[in-house]
Amino acid sequence: VDNGDNIDFDRAYINIKTPYGMFDIGRMGARTFGTSYVDDVTDRDRIKYTLPLGDLTILAVYGKKFNGDALSLTESSMDLTGYSLAGVYKMPNGVAGLLLHLEDNQLSAMADQKEFFINPYWDLTLMDTVNLIGEVKYEFGEIDYDTGTDIDVARFAGNIEGTMALPTAYPMKLMVGYA
């Protein structure tokens, strides 16, 4: 957005390092984990806690996408909130991680949505010649309406990429994906 001479930015957060981990607090990038295959990059107001434990890193995140006020005393507010817990493990031959996420969304005075994500990924090198990269995302939950029919939500996406270094000058690559 062109604001002329005004300062304009989309993200601003503070990073606090403690002996018990690191806290990031403010508006930052969100909905990214693992490979870029199922990322849905957006900005959110978040509190993120990072705890490195040797080769394992634990992440806990609370995020607000939207916080709307009720229009009257008989309506509820429209809130879109996310909670995440993740682990990333670094190995000598690569990295693997698992994200568990809950979206708890008050969509309107008459609808509430709860959606869970399970998102593992890996990037591994085997026998110094084969590289396997993959990610899976499974989402499930429901939209509950005060009146009418509730809706079940289920989505799946997955991707596996493989490369092999051959003794020739031409590496072989195979990629399979489903969304």
Side-chain angles (χ1 to χ4, degrees), residues 18-96:
T18 74
Y20 310 104
M22 182 172 56
F23 293 89
D24 295 321
I25 302 169
R27 187 149 189 90
M28 62 191 86
R31 297 186 64 98
T32 60
F33 184 76
T35 71
S36 61
Y37 179 68
V38 291
D39 287 353
D40 181 19
V41 181
T42 186
D43 298 324
R44 290 204 178 163
D45 298 324
R46 303 169 71 192
I47 299 171
K48 181 173 80 171
Y49 174 67
T50 305
L51 178 63
L53 299 168
D55 293 334
L56 177 65
T57 301
I58 304 292
L59 303 162
V61 181
Y62 166 80
K64 271 291 195 194
K65 180 177 181 185
F66 184 81
N67 188 24
D69 294 328
L71 299 176
S72 71
L73 295 175
T74 59
E75 291 185 3
S76 64
S77 61
M78 185 174 159
D79 293 327
L80 305 176
T81 307
Y83 308 88
S84 299
L85 182 62
V88 176
Y89 185 68
K90 292 182 182 174
M91 301 166 274
N93 65 330
V95 63

Side-chain angles (χ1 to χ4, degrees), residues 147-160:
T147 59
T149 305
D150 295 342
I151 299 173
D152 289 331
V153 176
R155 296 181 196 95
F156 175 83
N159 181 53
I160 297 175

Side-chain angles (χ1 to χ4, degrees), residues 113-116 138-143 151-155:
Q113 177 185 23
K114 288 199 181 355
E115 203 168 325
F116 300 92
Y138 177 59
E139 302 179 22
F140 59 96
E142 63 183 1
I143 302 174
I151 299 173
D152 289 331
V153 176
R155 296 181 196 95

